[in-house]
Amino acid sequence: MGGGGQQTDRIAGTNGRFGTYTWEEVQKHTKSGDQWIVVERKVYNVSQWVKRHPGGLRIIGHYAGEDATDAFHAFHPNIQLVRKYMKPLLIGELEASEPSQDRQKNGALVEDFRALRERLEAEGCFKTQPLFFILHLGHILLLEAIALMLLWYFGTGWINTAIVSVILATAQSQAGWLQHDFGHLSVFKNSRWDHLLHKFVIGHLKGASAGWWNHRHFQHHAKPNIFKKDPDVNMLNAFVVGNVQPVEYGVKKIKTLPYNHQHKYFFFSKSLYATASTGMFMESHWFVWVTQMSHIPMDIDYEKHQDWLNMQLDATCNIEQSFFNDWFSGHLNFQIEHHLFPTMPRHNYWRAAPRVRALCDKYGVKYQEKGLYEAFVDIVRSLEKSGELWLDAYLNK
């Protein structure tokens, strides 16, 4: 277990009994090499286990000093199995006088969300319909076969090449959504099959690394739109996003690129792929616009230590449901439900959505839904606004 048991011996109370801790004590253990988390009021020392964590080194560290109960349930389809691995890491529990939630989080909201998850599980919303994924994989392979046949029979003329490029871009985009399903362990009861098929689809159909995807994407889900924790908002100084970072960069006089024009070069930055492949050009635009339409226009900030529901709703929004939108986005038009329940098979998001909306209404949490075109426009508007904030701070502060 990566040495967790040895640390337990040193920290547990006398006579082999575990200790009890306050939130203040737990929150002292947030640094690399000294990290505690709380799951269902039990305190775990994960300082060494992080190095062996299948989900990656950083994701647990992002919850150091916090209640990680909802993240724990969100990412692990087989809770009982995971609990066996956690036993050597257990060092105690919260004192009876301590609340279950840290940092003044709304306990009633958290409990209602957990009750909602239990109801959805009882109603079968986490059960897969195998035919859905068989047909999805089948239509990808069919598109690939059609593209090959067209090249075989009609050659590489301009018209045929354009048709084949569209077909291949469609197949590759849909394969991207399928690897996403396997990567989230949302298809098979046994997660080993999910891992195996994930490696096949992302490795052989997409030409990417499953390990790289896991390392980045689970961090994104654990702390979406949070600087220094979500890799997806690390723009490598090519863009500034949200309302906080642009001002920060402007005050520091950081000008790697003219950010006040970033809403214009956003499109052209994706167009660079055209030099390699027309199909890749189309696929890259398809992927980026779909994945960013639910995140870039939303709140992007540093860690606020919110509860699971508020954190995910601040960072995500939905796109209106239709057969086309479902297919085009790989059901990521239900981004809210996907982020709240990442192991839920995507064909069941529509069942969860009304329940989630009702819970948000009860507690005054904003549940955003917009049209596909509006969502695309909002990406550009958001980048333009961030650029203007940067320019104002750069010139005047």
Side-chain angles (χ1 to χ4, degrees):
M1 293 297 292
Q6 296 176 1
Q7 293 201 6
T8 298
D9 293 339
R10 292 198 298 270
I11 298 173
T14 58
N15 301 321
R17 297 174 62 185
F18 292 121
T20 57
Y21 304 96
T22 64
W23 276 115
E24 183 180 0
E25 291 174 303
V26 171
Q27 289 163 8
K28 292 177 181 178
H29 301 273
T30 60
K31 304 296 183 182
S32 177
D34 179 22
Q35 296 176 328
W36 295 6
I37 63 171
V38 175
V39 177
E40 297 169 341
R41 294 188 62 84
K42 298 186 184 300
V43 182
Y44 296 89
N45 183 347
V46 297
S47 303
Q48 300 303 315
W49 168 241
V50 295
K51 299 175 182 178
R52 298 190 177 186
H53 180 232
L57 172 69
R58 295 181 181 176
I59 187 171
I60 294 183
H62 293 338
Y63 275 91
E66 292 187 45
D67 175 41
T69 302
D70 293 309
F72 173 75
H73 283 275
F75 294 121
H76 300 108
N78 190 339
I79 296 295
Q80 298 306 317
L81 175 65
V82 178
R83 284 198 175 109
K84 294 179 181 179
Y85 286 91
M86 294 174 66
K87 286 182 180 179
L89 311 178
L90 180 65
I91 61 172
E93 60 185 20
L94 293 173
E95 290 186 357
S97 59
E98 288 291 302
S100 296
Q101 304 304 316
D102 60 292
R103 296 178 173 88
Q104 307 301 314
K105 294 174 183 174
N106 187 334
L109 181 155
V110 172
E111 291 305 316
D112 277 357
F113 172 76
R114 293 174 183 173
L116 170 61
R117 182 185 176 89
E118 290 178 0
R119 287 198 301 273
L120 294 174
E121 289 176 343
E123 293 171 6
C125 288
F126 286 82
K127 293 182 179 179
T128 298
Q129 296 176 7
L131 182 62
F132 174 88
F133 292 102
I134 291 172
L135 291 176
H136 190 77
L137 176 59
H139 104 285
I140 293 169
L141 297 177
L142 178 61
L143 288 170
E144 297 269 0
I146 291 173
L148 182 61
M149 290 175 60
L150 286 173
L151 284 175
W152 183 269
Y153 285 104
F154 299 106
T156 57
W158 283 106
I159 295 177
N160 195 49
T161 297
I163 294 172
V164 168
S165 295
V166 172
I167 295 173
L168 287 177
T170 302
Q172 285 292 296
S173 295
Q174 293 300 319
W177 309 144
L178 184 60
Q179 70 82 21
H180 182 259
D181 297 318
F182 291 128
H184 276 294
L185 313 181
S186 63
V187 180
F188 294 98
K189 290 183 179 180
N190 188 330
S191 61
R192 289 184 179 180
W193 284 105
D194 279 306
H195 287 301
L196 181 64
L197 268 294
H198 183 224
K199 290 178 180 177
F200 168 76
V201 175
I202 195 172
H204 294 279
L205 297 185
K206 297 293 297 173
S209 164
W212 167 83
W213 186 91
N214 288 338
H215 173 72
R216 290 182 59 88
H217 198 66
F218 289 142
Q219 289 186 78
H220 162 68
H221 271 267
K223 294 289 183 177
N225 282 15
I226 295 177
F227 291 123
K228 298 185 178 181
K229 294 188 176 182
D230 179 2
D232 286 5
V233 294
N234 178 9
M235 299 296 177
L236 301 175
N237 292 339
F239 298 91
V240 289
V241 291
N243 297 332
V244 174
Q245 186 189 52
V247 176
E248 187 178 82
Y249 273 43
V251 170
K252 294 179 179 179
K253 309 307 177 186
I254 298 174
K255 187 183 178 182
T256 307
L257 289 168
Y259 299 122
N260 52 311
H261 295 290
Q262 63 179 5
H263 59 292
K264 301 172 184 176
Y265 66 73
F266 172 76
F267 177 84
F268 293 105
S269 68
K270 305 299 170 288
S271 301
L272 294 176
Y273 288 102
T275 60
S277 165
T278 304
M280 188 178 292
F281 162 73
M282 289 186 285
E283 183 202 351
S284 71
H285 275 282
W286 191 331
F287 170 79
V288 171
W289 287 88
V290 167
T291 57
Q292 298 311 308
M293 65 185 180
S294 299
H295 290 304
I296 289 295
M298 305 302 290
D299 184 57
I300 305 175
D301 205 343
Y302 291 95
E303 178 66 83
K304 297 178 181 177
H305 300 290
Q306 296 174 289
D307 62 79
W308 184 257
L309 181 72
N310 274 287
M311 178 181 67
Q312 301 295 351
L313 269 291
D314 274 1
T316 58
C317 67
N318 278 5
I319 311 304
E320 294 173 351
Q321 183 189 22
S322 69
F323 177 82
F324 175 79
N325 286 354
D326 291 352
W327 172 83
F328 181 75
S329 68
H331 287 85
L332 293 182
N333 51 326
F334 288 97
Q335 191 73 247
I336 291 173
E337 288 68 33
H338 171 57
H339 264 255
L340 291 174
F341 313 109
T343 60
M344 179 183 289
R346 58 174 156 125
H347 53 69
N348 287 331
Y349 292 157
W350 67 273
R351 297 172 60 185
R355 307 286 189 85
V356 173
R357 187 189 288 269
L359 180 63
C360 290
D361 289 344
K362 179 179 179 180
Y363 288 98
V365 179
K366 189 174 182 179
Y367 183 106
Q368 292 193 51
E369 183 178 82
K370 59 185 73 170
L372 183 63
Y373 175 76
E374 180 186 358
F376 287 165
V377 171
D378 280 350
I379 297 175
V380 180
R381 287 174 178 165
S382 175
L383 290 172
E384 183 177 16
K385 178 184 177 183
S386 297
E388 290 172 350
L389 289 171
W390 168 82
L391 183 63
D392 177 66
Y394 187 85
L395 296 175
N396 303 316
K397 296 182 181 180

